[in-house]
Amino acid sequence: MKVSVIIPTYNYGHFIMEAIHSVLAQDYQKELIEIIVIDDGSTDDTKQLLEGIITDNAGIQYHYQENAGKAAATQIGIALANGEIIFNLDADDWFLPGKISKTVQIFRHDPTLVHVGSPALIHWQEGNRNPEPEPIPFNVTGKNNGIDTLKYFMRKKLLFGGGSTFAARSAVLKQIKWQAAIDMYTDEWLLINTLLQSNCYFFHEPLSAWRVHGGNYSGGQLVNQEKRQERLRRASTAILHLLEAGKYPAWLKNNYRLKHATREIVWREERNKKGLVDVSRYLYRGILSGNSVSTLRAYHAFNRLLPMWVRRLVHGS
């Protein structure tokens, strides 16, 4: 079974070689692996660093595009992929040994599966913290219905199986509709559209390493926080518009409206622009969102802003 590993990257020349070598070191048949690097307008030495390894490995492709964001880069990678299974690998992460062979084995033995994921092994670039696996809920592991899993994730405000832990059937991914504005919520969009299609499988043990550092989204120390927040806002809005315009289930639209509204109110709080009208509108939308009480309880902003007497009435506490 041929597989494709797509690596979207932007100015990660200091990390990307480790990512590529982690794929080349896999115990899977080398001629059945293609690596597709989509350079999203890097201005560092990414291209120069890759020239030698591309020359020595026919299975590596390099594609450069003007900077358009992660969603645009990922979409190009999916379109170019020739494998039956597509793996995503962020350029600052890497695969652990056996990642591809274990994942392909699961796909091969169960044709109903459209997605296979795992928790990540988290590595902190700064500080003296030891690597730790993501605490994936036990009831998510193994084979599950994709829609039920997505409902659980949305209800609990969780997201597992995205980023460098993501693997899915190519035929499913190539049908997904995209907008470049999805950008920083690319992983969320991939997971939503894949899990809606059929069954999924999650390993309990980590198969990918996730590097947390000052320059990535996880590290939360980007130089221009205002620009970062605006990108997140545009990305969330883009997903909401795609869901509203598409043939997606009502429960998903209701949940995402609440999620987006929560992001909006938090962003206004961070900018000291939140007013009483904003709070009233947010609470009104939340109560009438059609989501269950358990879903509302998962949103700390909703619970925090809800008046005490209403909180007791709604939550029974």
Side-chain angles (χ1 to χ4, degrees), residues 22-236:
S22 76
V23 179
L24 296 176
Q26 293 289 307
D27 59 1
Y28 197 69
Q29 208 169 335
K30 298 298 183 290
E31 58 269 26
L32 295 180
I33 301 176
E34 68 171 3
I35 300 173
I36 304 172
V37 178
I38 308 94
D39 188 340
D40 186 37
S42 293
T43 57
D44 64 358
D45 58 351
T46 293
K47 184 176 181 180
Q48 290 75 19
L49 286 169
L50 293 177
E51 286 176 351
I53 196 169
I54 290 173
T55 300
D56 296 336
N57 295 272
I60 302 177
Q61 304 175 38
Y62 174 83
H63 296 270
Y64 180 90
Q65 67 175 30
E66 294 299 323
N67 183 246
K70 185 178 180 180
T74 302
Q75 183 181 20
I76 288 176
I78 291 173
L80 292 171
N82 296 302
E84 294 180 56
I85 305 299
I86 295 178
F87 292 78
N88 181 76
L89 176 57
D90 293 338
D92 53 343
D93 298 335
W94 65 94
F95 285 170
L96 298 177
K99 157 83 171 183
I100 293 179
S101 59
K102 290 178 181 178
T103 302
V104 169
Q105 183 179 25
I106 294 295
F107 274 119
R108 183 180 287 127
H109 289 168
D110 192 340
T112 71
L113 295 174
V114 293
H115 171 271
V116 173
S118 72
L121 184 64
I122 306 173
H123 285 252
W124 284 269
Q125 188 79 356
E126 293 85 20
N128 298 316
R129 299 175 66 176
N130 293 322
E132 296 179 6
E134 283 186 289
I136 187 169
F138 183 77
N139 61 315
V140 171
T141 59
K143 178 180 176 179
N144 287 287
N145 178 273
I147 293 177
D148 290 342
T149 302
L150 182 59
K151 285 181 177 179
Y152 178 80
F153 285 166
M154 299 296 281
R155 186 172 68 250
K156 297 292 186 180
K157 289 183 60 186
L158 300 173
L159 183 69
F160 290 96
S164 299
T165 72
F166 183 90
R169 294 195 186 272
S170 176
V172 172
L173 297 184
K174 289 179 181 291
Q175 300 301 314
I176 296 177
K177 293 183 178 180
W178 290 82
Q179 286 183 1
I182 292 169
D183 192 17
M184 296 181 77
Y185 287 129
T186 297
D187 297 344
E188 187 175 67
W189 186 241
L190 280 173
L191 205 58
I192 286 173
N193 283 276
T194 304
L195 293 182
L196 284 172
Q197 299 306 311
S198 189
N199 297 322
C200 60
Y201 184 97
F202 280 86
F203 288 95
H204 184 264
E205 74 276 13
L207 295 179
S208 304
W210 171 25
R211 191 195 312 264
V212 178
H213 55 92
N216 68 0
Y217 174 74
S218 308
Q221 299 176 6
L222 295 179
V223 175
N224 193 332
Q225 288 295 326
E226 188 74 15
K227 182 178 179 180
R228 170 179 173 270
Q229 290 292 347
E230 186 54 38
R231 285 180 63 189
L232 286 167
R233 187 180 186 205
R234 288 199 307 268
S236 183

Side-chain angles (χ1 to χ4, degrees), residues 237-287:
T237 301
I239 290 182
L240 180 61
H241 287 169
L242 284 170
L243 291 175
E244 297 282 19
K247 296 180 179 179
Y248 291 91
W251 62 264
L252 179 58
K253 294 181 180 182
N254 288 340
N255 189 284
Y256 210 87
R257 289 185 196 112
L258 176 62
K259 175 178 283 193
H260 180 73
T262 302
R263 288 167 174 167
E264 287 278 7
I265 198 71
V266 170
W267 291 330
R268 295 193 70 82
E269 284 182 324
E270 291 175 349
R271 298 180 183 183
N272 295 316
K273 293 182 178 180
K274 182 190 71 178
L276 182 59
V277 173
D278 299 308
V279 174
S280 300
R281 183 183 297 118
Y282 170 63
L283 294 176
Y284 179 78
R285 288 175 178 172
I287 293 172

